[in-house]
Every structure is written in C-alpha cells, then in structure tokens.
Amino acid sequence: MPALLVVAVVMLFPLLYNISLSFFEKTIYNPDWTFVGLEQYQKLLTSKTFLNALKNTVVWTFFSVLFQFFIGFICALVLSQERVKFRGIWRCLIMLPWVLPAIIGSMVWKWMYHSDFGILNEILVRVGIIDSALPWTGSRDLALISAIIVNTWKMFPLVLMYIEASLQSVPRSLQDAAVVDGANGWECFKVVTWPHIAPTCKTVVLLLTIWTLNAFTFIYVLTGGGPGTSSQVLSMFINKEAFTNYNFGNAATASTILFIIVAIFSTIYIRSTMGGEEK
Amino acid sequence: MKVKKVLSMMLAGACVLGMLSGCGNKDDGGQQAGGTVENPEEISAELTLWDASWNENITPGLIEKFNEKYPNIKVNVEFFPSDGMSDKYLTALTSGNSADLLSVNNEWVSTFAVAKGILNLDEYIKANDYDMSDFYDGAREGVTVNGSVYALPYRAETHGMFYNVDLFKDAGYKELPDTWEEFVPIAQEITKRSNGEIKGIAIPGGEWGNTSYQLTNMILCSGGSILNEDHTECMLDSEEAIRAAQLFVDLYRKYNVVPESIMENDNAAGRTLFGEGKVAAFMSGAYDISAIQGIDPDLNMGTGLVPVFEGAERNTIFAGWSTVISAKTKNPDAAWLLAEFLASPEISVEYSTTFSARKSMADAEKYANDPLLINLSEAIQYGEPLPVIPQLSQIRQIMYEQIQLALSGEITAEEAMIEATAQINEIL
Amino acid sequence: MIRNKKTEAVKTVLTYVFLTVMVVISVFPIVWMLDSSLKGSSEIYSSPPTFTIHEVTMENYVRVLFDSGIPRAFLNSVIVSVTATLTTLTLGCLAGYGFSRYRFKGRRMLYVGLLYGQMMPAVVLIIPVYLVFSKIGLIDSYFSLILPDVAITVPLATLMLKSFFDGVPVELEDAARIDGASKLGILWKIIIPIAKPGLVSVAIYTFLSTWEEFIFALNLTNSSSIRTLPIAINMFKGEFIIDWGAIMSSGAVISLPVILLFVLCNKAFVKGLSEGGVKG
C-alpha cells in the first residue's frame, strides 16, 4: 500500500528520528551530535522559557477551543432552524474565514490590529466598547488574546459545519414526538437533540484541541511569540529553538514533549471514534 | 506480523540515520581557503548571492557591472525579506544549503563565524594586500571576530535625530541642542504649547530590537557601554548607563514628553507619528527620510546628531551590512572577487541604501547635495559596533525586558539596569 | 395564537439579526483586505482609517502582479498544490479502497496509525525532515514541499474516502467482476464515479491545506523559483517599512483561487467533510 508507505516515510520515520535526536545535543557551539541522555529533558522541564511556553499553550488551546466551539455551536443551532431561508448562502458566507489561507487571515488581522491605521480600534472606540486605542499585538496582556481571536475567527466555521450536519441527522419524528409529549424547547433539546449530537461535539472538541496545539502560523505572523515571550507557545518555541537559536537537540526534545501531549488527546479521540467505527 | 516488521525496520533505519548525521558533520571545521587570485579575469564560475529584498532594484545593475569586469563569473541573486532572514541564513550556512555569498547585517557576523558557517578572509586579505583602512573603524570592528576578518563591509549607518523645524521654531528654538539636558526643556515646551496633543519625542518601547537599540544608543551618549572592552563583564550598572536609562524612562514617566503609546511602539510607529506632526522629534537612520516624505511631502524636517549627556564624549552605535562568503562555497576565489567588488568605493555607494562603509566616500555626490543626509553621515565616524559576540541578541532581549518593567513603573530604571547586569553576567 | 405568531416573528427577526452579525464578523476582514488593497499609499496610512475610498487605485495590484515575485510564487504554489492533491487523491483512493474492502492482518493497527498520522503536528516533523532533506540535498526543491504535504493530507483523505467506499454496495462490484473487470478497473469504473462527492471534498480539502501550508515552505525553500505564496507575501515587509497595500492586494490574489473553488464546490464539499471527516 503505497499510501501507507508515504505516511510511514514522512511521519513514522521522522517521529522516531525526532525522538532519538532528543537524546542528543547539537548547538551552534557544538555542531556534532553528542549523546546526553535525558539531560535535555531535565533542563527543559526546569527552564523558565519552556514552562512559560507550556503555560501559554494551555491558555491558548483552552480559550481558543472554548470560543471556537461555543460560537460555532450557537451558530449551528441558529442556522439549522427551519425558519432560515437560503441556508446554503448563509453557511457559505460564514465559512469564508476558514477558506482564507491562515497566513492571509493573520496578515489581515494584523493590519486591522495596527495601532495607528487599524480599523479595529477605530470601530471599537466609535461603538464605545473601549475608550482609547488598544495596542493589541504589541502588548504583553493582549498579544495572546489577539491570536486567540484570530484562531477563533478562522476555525469556528468548521465547528458550525460539523455540528449543523450532525443536527440534520436528528430524526424529525423524534422531535415531533417530544413536542407532542409537551416538552418545551429546552427539554426537547436536552432529551432528543443533545444525545444525538453529543458524540460529534466530543470529537469536534478533541479535533480542535489537537489542531490548536499544532497551530503555528497565527502566532508566528501576529506576534512572533512576543512581546518578550508573552505569547510564545510550544510550536513557536520549537521553531525558534531549531531555526533561530540553532539548538536542534533542544528543539527535538521540546517537540517530543509536544508530540506526547498531542498523542494523549489523539488517543482519547481515536478511542471515541473507534467505538463507532471498527469493531 | 507485518506491522511489527515494518516498525522494527523503521527503527533500525532511524538509528542508522541518527548515527550518520552524528558522524557526518565533522568536515565542516572552519576552513581557510584562499590566497592570491591569479588571472581573475579568466576565472569562470557560477555564484549565488543571497541579498535583502530592499536591494531588489539595485543589485541586478551592479551584477551587470561586475560581469563587464569578470565576464565568466555568472551570478544568480535570490532576495529574502527581513522577517526571519538571520534565522534562515544561519540554518542554511550551518547545514550547507546556503548560497556562496550572503549580504548580512554586521550584527550576525559573529554568530555565523562561531558556527563556522562563513569563510575566514584573513588569507585573502593578506595575499591580495587588501587595504582595510578605508573602512570606518566601526565597520571593521563589526566584522572582526577573535581577531579575524569575516566579511567585507559595504553599508554603514548610525542613528541621528530627526526634528520638526516648524514645531521647534514655534517653541522658540532654531536648531537641535547638543545635549540631552538642553533637549528636555524644549520637548516640555513643545508638549505644553499643544496641551499634550503634540509630544516632544517618540521613543520605541514595544519592540525588542528597536527598544534595546535606542536605549544602548543613549547609554553610549552618556559615556557608558553594555559590556567592558574584552566582553567579560556587563557594564550596565555603571553610573553612566544608569543615568541614560533613567532619562529614557523619565522622558516618558516624569517629563511626559513621549506619546502614551510608547509601550506598543516600534520605530516605524515613531516615524509615522513624526511624519504626521504628532511628535517633534525621533531618532532613526537615513533610511527613514523617504518614508517620512511619503507620509507628508511638505513636512519641514531637519536632521542632526543625537544629543549627548553633559560632559560625555560623543559615541553612537555603528550599524552596517557586509558581504560574507559561505565556508562551503566551491568557488571561494570567484566569491572573493564579488565580495571585493561590492565593497569597492563607488559600488558600495550605489549598493548601500544608506551610506557607504568607506571613509573616502563620506562626501560622495549622493550624500553631499542633500542636507538631510549629510547631517546624518557626520555621526558615522563616532560609531562603534554593538559587542561582536554571539550572545548579543540575548543581551538585548534582557535589556528590553528590564527597561519595559521600568517604563511601566514596576521598578526603577536603576533596579532595571542592576537586574539586567546580573542576568547578562550569567550568560557571558 | 396571535401571541404565538408574534413571538415566532420576533424569533425570526432575531435569527436573521444574529446571522447577519455573524456574516459581518466573518466577512468583514476579507472586505477590509479588499478595501485596503484599493487605496493609494497616502490613503491607506491615514489615521483614523476610513472605510470609504476617495480615490480607487489599482497601483497595489499593478505592483504585485507586474513588479514582484508573486506571479512566480503563484506558479510554484499551483505546481506544489496540484501535484500534492493529485498524489494524495490517488494514494487515498487506493488505501481507502483497501481499508474498505479487504480484511488483512494488522488492518486495525494500520488504521489506528492513520488516525494518529492525521493528528501529527507539523512542527514535530519539521526538524527531522529538515535534517534528512539537508543531508540528501533536497532542500529547496518542489519535492521537499510536496512530500510532506502529501504525508500530512493522506491520512484524512484515506479515512474520508474509506467511509465513502463503505457506502458503495459490494453487489455492484461482484457484478462487474463476473463481467471480467480487473480490480483497478472496478475501482476506476464503478467505485470512483459513485464516490464522486467524496473525491471532490477530499480534493478541495487537500488543495486548501496545501495552498496555505506554511511551516514547511518557510524552512525548506530558499529561492524564488521554489518559494510558494505564503512565503512570498513576506517580501513586502521591508527592512523598516511594511508595504501593507501590497500585502493586502497579494492577499486578495492568493485567496481568490481557494475562495472561488470553495464557493463553486461548496455543497459537495460540506457534504463530504461532514460525512467523512468526523464520525459521531
């Protein structure tokens, strides 16, 4: 099976290679690979910048997924109502952010965030949400939030699509039966709809978590991990260690740790998928 | 079990490759090629030059001129944006994927040299009796690592001060003062006259490169420095450095002559504010002149030297660009010819988007006829490079983080400099 | 009854208001991109920014299309994305068909492997891929971009196509087999046409993700003859100046193909992804 071969060559092999590299040291001063065992893991797990990146990754992933799911979910509920006409057009328009390449989306937002010429501050000030222009990507407190907003903007449409599709699979007859039984909207949702879409929701949340953990472009373009290290997440940290600081050993160690984190979520995801798929 | 077999084969493969890369890298020790280049006109070779994107309209013309002299050396040029340029170059140089020549910021030369990615040029300089004395001291020091020259400079610049002549005039001042002590009241007067609508000076506080650069420049103006002569100890806790850092913070917190947006501003923001007439002065290099004229062609601006502190000698950061040769090039002789060509007096004037790195070109026509430029070029002779050590960017990051804390009022400028000194001494 | 009608009407209005707000949030950045791309340099840098354009100009587009590396990068992107998409489709079809029809040893394990592959972070792959490609001199070639692109998209493509093939009745194949068709012939003539919507959505998905692929392109390309669009757009960031007008107009140029593709094949795509991508 050639497909599996490609996957193996470009995935499995690098993964193993990567893990083996994480036991070696290679820096700009020491261009040869030197075996150091677990030393780099120990160093990394006690390093302030790494722990900071780890903390940012948790914040970044948690809030991105929370907002993506929440907004996407509400949109799906609203859009799937029978009263909505031209559903396809609405959906198509709302999904455009997801279609736009991540780099372009990030660039456009960076331009909108611009503290002098950005339209976002102008709008927010006019509407009265904020009093004066905010520095967005330039401030320690807002940099990560700025990136979370862009990530949410880009990915919530996908949630909408998945959940909406799943909502459509809820049998009409069941809902009608519930209504006949005197259930109000909320009860009907709880008893009939939710059990139907819950598995999809679970997988969507897991997928979003994994994608967000892996996401790189948004933060690279918007803040570059800055100011300082205030929006540095693991994927940025790895790229920076490898290609800026030329510390490939350290980068391999960090990416092995990232892989372990992703693998944990993947396992939960796969368990839940396999339940319904392969017996 | 097929899968297990595949897995174990993969694992074995990974180990083999790991070993390969472990042993295979020994050949990239710093090689010293070179000597006299005989019959240069007859050398035939194909070279690749990696250049910065802002030279895209300049370099091709220079290559044509180069080919008039050396018709058999074909030169391909690739252009790179500033984003991630140094990362890309470092990775490519160390892994052997780079071009034969690279146009680089002087600040990167020490890192590239320590990583053994670029050619030591001493042999070529000696064999060809190449005269380095025409380069500004700052340029020469900037490309010298552990006593060896690693690049040929072509571009030079320092920061000067841009000021809004009309705003200064309204406040009753004709020109830029020589000292910071005289500058502060002017900035206060301008700020006061406009009820704070217009501020005295823009200082960047939101981007590590710009912020640490301007802070360092101020420290130099006060007679201080980041490190001692032999780069073994940090000098930021000296009286001079603290005096400069104090003013850097005070301009914002005490005198209130800096825009509120300082914490998010980089130097480009300062330029915009200046161009729009919202600040009366800011510090930058010659490259910003056309950008300011782009914002407001009618702005009545002047340029001059950055003020010094009372009693301190004039000093400023020398910045510049040079051409380096990859340690792995197959045509070091041809590469040397091109590097030499790009660093030659007339060509360097054309090549540089600011000033030439050569003293003899200080009053080249391109600069002499432009009062804005000539005022800025005067400062170059006082320039000294930032410390030529690979830890430089880490040092600047530390300075940036500490001065930001001071700007936000969490600690004093003195505490910031003392903490920075402690952290920098740790990595030296 | 009347009250009921009234609340219904209110609900309808609220629904449309909500949808309109969401559409505005979704589309506004894209509109702002187009808006900015049509402004001249003095207008784009005006503060406060305005939505209306005093003087519409094509100067940014002229610069991007005739005086920059974007056209060449566009060609590179097309080469990389199209090749990667076709390869992924072919491999995905074969593998998906295999998973769908044959029970072989280790099937379950390979299947799990694919699922993990789908989750693999690109940043984990980039370091080993870079080191290996650099060793064998493949840095800065189309191949060095296509291979990782294929590897990253094949798992999901296989999974999606498998679930489409699962929906094709085996009886159809049996009939063809009796008529003497080969295995590949069956796949080509019977299965593929039925699974067309699935193929369309896999193709779009693959194309979209290779079109925007960033981290491999960033680290594995060096020359303008290989550089893809997401990297070439950075050329408008100068040493000290960012040319926002050019970035916005090249953004529009880069987005146009994928947006067109999506709008045209929107229905098939949504159907395919929601049926094949996530299992609930």
Side-chain angles (χ1 to χ4, degrees), chain B residues 3 7 17 25 50 53-54 78-83 88 91-92 95 97 155 268 271 276 278 287 291 321, chain C residues 45 47 106 109-110 130 132 134-135 139 218-224 227 234-235 237-241:
Chain B
V3 183
L7 265 173
L17 236 130
N25 274 343
W50 282 1
S53 57
W54 50 91
E78 294 289 349
F79 297 96
F80 289 83
S82 67
D83 265 26
K88 175 127 250 168
T91 322
S95 58
N97 296 309
R155 168 173 156 182
R271 177 185 65 215
E276 289 174 340
K278 288 180 184 152
Y287 37 79
W321 285 70
Chain C
Y45 299 112
S47 126
M109 200 173 157
L110 284 174
Y130 182 88
V132 171
S134 144
K135 242 318 43 103
I139 299 276
L218 176 71
N219 292 309
L220 297 178
T221 62
N222 287 332
S223 60
S224 53
R227 215 176 262 154
N234 278 308
M235 294 296 277
K237 287 187 182 168
E239 188 181 10
F240 302 100
I241 308 163

Side-chain angles (χ1 to χ4, degrees), chain A residues 99-105 107-108, chain C residues 30 33-34 37 61 64-65 68-71 73-75 77-78 81 207-208 210-214 227-236 246-261:
Chain A
V99 180
L100 208 69
I103 173 111
I104 309 297
M107 289 264 194
V108 174
Chain C
I30 301 171
M33 170 175 82
L34 296 174
S37 72
Y61 285 94
V64 164
L65 292 177
S68 81
I70 291 289
F74 200 96
L75 178 70
S77 274
V78 169
S81 296
F207 190 82
L208 289 187
T210 52
W211 192 255
E212 70 170 5
E213 196 288 312
F214 184 67
R227 215 176 262 154
T228 53
L229 286 168
I231 307 304
I233 193 173
N234 278 308
M235 294 296 277
F236 297 110
I247 288 184
M248 290 303 120
S249 52
S250 45
V253 171
I254 296 170
S255 317
L256 188 71
V258 278
I259 289 184
L260 271 184
L261 191 70

Side-chain angles (χ1 to χ4, degrees), chain B residues 368-390:
Chain B
N369 297 335
D370 187 335
L372 289 175
L373 280 176
I374 201 76
N375 285 343
L376 289 172
S377 83
E378 203 191 323
I380 297 179
Q381 53 185 311
Y382 303 109
E384 62 175 76
L386 290 168
V388 188
I389 51 170

Side-chain angles (χ1 to χ4, degrees), chain A residues 17 115 117 140 243-244 246, chain B residues 21 25 87 94 115 264 272 404:
Chain A
Y17 189 34
S115 46
F117 315 118
R140 258 160 206 283
F243 296 104
T244 305
Y246 205 70
Chain B
S21 61
N25 274 343
D87 302 356
T94 41
E264 53 178 285
T272 306
Q404 263 210 333

Side-chain angles (χ1 to χ4, degrees), chain A residues 8-9 12-13 16-17 26 28-29 31-33 115-117 133-135 138 140 220 227-229 240 243-244 246 248, chain B residues 7 10-11 13-14 17-18 21-22 25-26 87 90-91 94-95 111 114-115 263-264 269 272 276 390-391 400-401 404:
Chain A
V9 167
L12 194 57
F13 169 70
L16 297 174
Y17 189 34
K26 180 187 168 84
I28 181 168
Y29 306 106
D32 300 330
W33 294 95
S115 46
D116 295 311
F117 315 118
L134 289 175
R140 258 160 206 283
Y220 181 88
T229 54
K240 211 168 178 180
F243 296 104
T244 305
Y246 205 70
F248 276 105
Chain B
L7 265 173
M10 287 286 162
L11 206 80
L17 236 130
S21 61
N25 274 343
K26 293 236 166 78
D87 302 356
L90 176 64
T91 322
T94 41
S95 58
T111 312
V114 169
M263 299 297 276
E264 53 178 285
T272 306
E276 289 174 340
Q391 295 98 321
Y400 170 62
E401 274 161 32
Q404 263 210 333

Side-chain angles (χ1 to χ4, degrees), chain A residues 65 200-211 264-270 272, chain C residues 119:
Chain A
V65 173
T200 309
C201 292
K202 195 173 151 198
T203 34
V204 165
V205 167
L206 282 166
L207 277 175
L208 288 176
T209 308
I210 293 162
W211 285 329
I264 291 170
F265 283 102
S266 302
T267 309
I268 303 174
Y269 165 74
I270 288 164
S272 71
Chain C
M119 310 297 163

